[in-house]
């Protein structure tokens, strides 16, 4: 996903939630012993949960008498009974990788594009489409030349009239709590807001709205990858997992190639998990800063997205988690900088609501740090996206330079490097 380059607020704001009795979980690959990230860890009856981070770590609020279900697109599901959890403060689980060999259904008999088109044509029947508020964690990190430069973690509310892209302009967004908000200078000219004020934002919610709307995402995947085909597949009692790839295709002047995995529910034929990794070629933009003659080049190299769904109270599929990452290069002043942006949105609670209620609302075109409300979280008792060890060290490495921040915000004569 292409992101706007952003000016930074060097504030460190942390609202500490009320201490909870939590269960610490670590996930490992049964064969390699490596950490398993991106796994869904939920109380299925309560429809609450969280997701494992890059270290395979997760935390859940303890719920007496509740079993846990652990699922991942690349591993067999694991059900953990309430008795196995009782009295424990930490647990380690080893997940068995799913086999890649073909089972039950042959590749020749499976038409992937036809299966995706069925989901598009039956979207209203399969997915949540009534007015709904989704409350969860929204997290963004940014890296420059493999060095962590920014982390924002918030409790966030997203109300929408339905889950259809044609109405995407109508959602309302609330910022309930800022857990972490820290950034350090990128040491790149786009840091300097005097020249990049209009397009420079800390976290622009609007930039991920179109990708969040799954019908829009599927339509683009179907239209822009005509050579989409099944590479391998596996099947169990409840779902079919298809690994896909495409040839290079051209949209306008840009060339892309997709690979990924899509999981179908056998009973409903709905897509319940979709990973799409895109290689970009010739996705190059020549840009110029406002109020200056400084030019730079932005080239997107790779992008990644993942949508995960689970059944809700209406017995329809609703978004459970969403990830969108982008690898890019920025070139100016004869220097090349490698940039990585990572975004995660995990739904902690979903409620049917006819309207968005009272604010304060977040303007999706304005950076989150400019929208911090006076009230604190109303959802602090729910589980949170967990920081990795690297992110914890970054947060604890010292307070940002507030004086430098103010200078960057107000100085209209920032020199060019």
């Amino acid at each position: 996903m292409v992101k706007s380059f952003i000016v930074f607020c060097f504030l460190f704001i942390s609202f500490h939630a009320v201490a909870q009795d939590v269960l610490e979980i670590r996930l490992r690959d049964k064969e390699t012993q490596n950490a398993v990230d991106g796994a869904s860890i939920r109380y299925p009856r309560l429809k609450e949960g969280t997701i494992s981070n890059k270290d395979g770590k997760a935390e859940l609020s303890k719920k007496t008498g509740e079993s846990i279900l652990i699922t991942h697109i690349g591993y067999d599901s694991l059900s953990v009974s309430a008795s196995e959890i009782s009295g424990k403060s930490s647990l380690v689980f080893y997940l068995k990788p799913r086999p890649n060999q073909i089972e039950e259904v042959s590749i020749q008999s499976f038409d992937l594009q036809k299966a995706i088109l069925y989901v598009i044509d039956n979207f209203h029947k399969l997915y949540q489409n009534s007015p709904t508020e989704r409350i969860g964690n929204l997290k963004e990190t940014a890296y420059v030349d493999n060095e962590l430069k920014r982390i924002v973690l918030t409790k966030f509310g997203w109300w929408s009239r339905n889950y259809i892209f044609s109405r995407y302009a109508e959602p309302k967004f609330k910022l309930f709590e800022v857990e972490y908000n820290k950034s350090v200078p990128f040491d790149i000219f786009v840091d300097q807001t005097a020249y990049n004020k209009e397009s420079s934002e800390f976290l622009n919610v609007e930039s991920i709205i179109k990708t969040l709307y799954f019908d829009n995402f599927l339509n683009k995947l179907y239209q822009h990858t005509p050579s989409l085909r099944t590479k391998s597949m596996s099947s169990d009692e409840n779902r079919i997992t298809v690994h896909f790839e495409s040839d290079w295709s051209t949209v306008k002047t840009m060339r892309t190639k997709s690979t990924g995995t899509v999981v179908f529910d056998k009973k409903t034929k709905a897509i319940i998990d979709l990973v799409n990794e895109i290689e970009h070629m010739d996705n190059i933009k020549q840009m110029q800063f406002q109020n200056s003659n400084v030019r730079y080049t932005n080239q997107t190299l790779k992008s990644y997205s993942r949508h995960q769904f689970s059944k809700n109270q209406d017995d329809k599929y609703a978004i459970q988690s969403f990830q969108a990452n982008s690898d890019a290069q920025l070139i100016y002043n004869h220097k090349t900088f490698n940039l990585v942006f990572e975004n995660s949105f995990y739904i902690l609670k979903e409620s049917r609501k006819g309207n968005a209620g009272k604010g304060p609302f977040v303007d999706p075109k304005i950076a989150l740090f400019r929208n911090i409300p006076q009230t604190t979280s109303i959802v602090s008792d729910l589980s949170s996206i967990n920081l990795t060890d690297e992110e914890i060290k970054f947060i604890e490495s010292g307070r940002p330079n507030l004086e430098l921040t103010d200078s960057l915000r107000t100085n209209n004569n920032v020199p060019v490097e």
Side-chain angles (χ1 to χ4, degrees), residues 159-358:
W159 178 89
S160 58
R161 193 173 302 280
N162 56 29
Y163 194 35
I164 307 302
F165 174 69
S166 61
R167 297 182 178 271
Y168 89 93
E170 298 183 16
K172 300 288 186 180
F173 302 93
K174 294 180 182 179
L175 182 61
F176 293 112
E177 177 179 322
V178 179
E179 295 189 32
Y180 298 102
N181 180 353
K182 182 178 179 181
S183 181
V184 296
F186 274 22
D187 300 322
I188 301 175
F189 185 74
V190 291
D191 253 356
Q192 300 173 4
T193 183
Y195 291 107
N196 203 25
K197 183 177 295 184
E198 294 301 320
S199 63
S200 175
E201 293 292 356
F202 200 75
L203 177 56
N204 188 335
V205 177
E206 189 176 49
S207 63
I208 65 172
I209 291 175
K210 293 181 181 180
T211 311
L212 267 171
Y213 279 80
F214 194 53
D215 69 318
N216 176 64
F217 181 88
L218 284 180
N219 271 294
K220 289 188 177 299
L221 179 65
Y222 182 81
Q223 293 170 9
H224 298 324
T225 51
S227 61
L228 199 66
R229 60 184 176 274
T230 301
K231 184 179 178 181
S232 65
M233 56 192 300
S234 59
S235 175
D236 60 24
E237 182 181 355
N238 300 312
R239 60 188 191 174
I240 297 174
T241 301
V242 179
H243 301 275
F244 66 83
E245 63 182 0
S246 77
D247 298 327
W248 286 97
S249 59
T250 303
V251 178
K252 296 182 179 179
T253 61
M254 296 179 292
R255 290 169 55 77
T256 60
K257 178 180 180 180
S258 292
T259 58
T261 305
V262 56
V263 179
F264 294 91
D265 173 63
K266 276 189 174 181
K267 183 178 180 180
T268 64
K269 300 181 180 179
I271 293 174
I272 57 177
D273 200 336
L274 192 153
V275 171
N276 188 34
E277 300 180 67
I278 304 175
E279 293 181 61
H280 295 261
M281 186 182 297
D282 304 322
N283 190 350
I284 302 172
K285 295 182 179 179
Q286 303 293 336
M287 308 180 75
Q288 181 173 332
F289 292 112
Q290 291 186 333
N291 306 318
S292 78
N293 60 358
V294 178
R295 297 176 181 273
Y296 67 96
T297 301
N298 175 37
Q299 179 176 4
T300 302
L301 304 175
K302 294 181 181 179
S303 56
Y304 167 96
S305 64
R306 184 179 186 186
H307 296 76
Q308 292 179 280
F309 296 87
S310 61
K311 284 284 186 75
N312 65 6
Q313 57 189 335
D314 297 325
D315 200 36
K316 290 191 174 184
Y317 284 104
I319 190 74
Q320 174 186 313
S321 66
F322 167 76
Q323 292 173 269
N325 303 340
S326 176
D327 292 13
Q329 286 185 338
L330 185 144
I331 304 170
Y332 85 97
N333 200 22
H334 307 294
K335 295 180 181 178
T336 300
F337 300 88
N338 297 304
L339 310 179
V340 177
F341 296 99
E342 299 178 348
N343 299 273
S344 301
F345 186 29
Y346 191 85
I347 309 301
L348 301 168
K349 181 180 180 181
E350 181 184 276
S351 305
R352 288 195 301 259
K353 292 185 65 174
N355 57 66
K358 297 181 179 180

Side-chain angles (χ1 to χ4, degrees), residues 193-195 197 290-291 406-415:
T193 183
Y195 291 107
K197 183 177 295 184
Q290 291 186 333
N291 306 318
D406 293 336
S407 173
L408 285 176
R409 283 180 177 173
T410 60
N411 184 5
N412 292 322
N413 297 297
V414 180

